[in-house]
Amino acid sequence: MAEKENKAVQETTEKKPAKKAKKPNAVVRWFKGVCRYFREMKSELKKVVWPTRKQVFRNTAVVLLVVVVVGVLIWLFDWLAAAVVKALVDLAKG
């Protein structure tokens, strides 16, 4: 009888699954991901070759010049198109 009881005790202890490792909750995973993102961003920013002050001013001047030139071209095209439409309307009125 004692042997049956020992077997029953052994069987119940053997059937218990091993404890699973606890997964970190979602907030902890999210925070770790955000920290990793900023670490990687910092390391990438160290690789950037930043322009000098002179290059920034030169590039800004080029951009402003191109904006002005394109603006003038659009204005001229608009003026020309308006003149053509006005001439066609005057021609149609007769």
Side-chain angles (χ1 to χ4, degrees), residues 7-18:
K7 276 188 176 180
V9 170
Q10 281 180 340
E11 287 176 6
T12 55
T13 57
E14 290 175 358
K15 289 182 182 178
K16 289 184 183 177

Side-chain angles (χ1 to χ4, degrees), residues 20-71:
K20 293 182 180 178
K22 209 173 189 187
K23 289 184 180 179
N25 65 21
V27 175
V28 172
R29 285 192 316 253
W30 179 84
F31 186 72
K32 285 182 179 180
V34 169
C35 289
R36 192 178 98 227
Y37 169 78
F38 281 109
R39 252 191 332 263
E40 290 175 2
M41 182 180 64
K42 185 179 175 183
S43 70
E44 288 297 320
L45 284 176
K46 288 179 181 179
K47 299 175 188 176
V48 173
V49 178
W50 296 100
T52 64
R53 188 178 211 76
K54 188 176 179 180
Q55 289 172 329
V56 170
F57 283 123
R58 187 179 303 145
N59 291 345
T60 302
V62 169
V63 167
L64 291 176
L65 179 66
V66 169
V67 166
V68 169
V69 169
V70 169

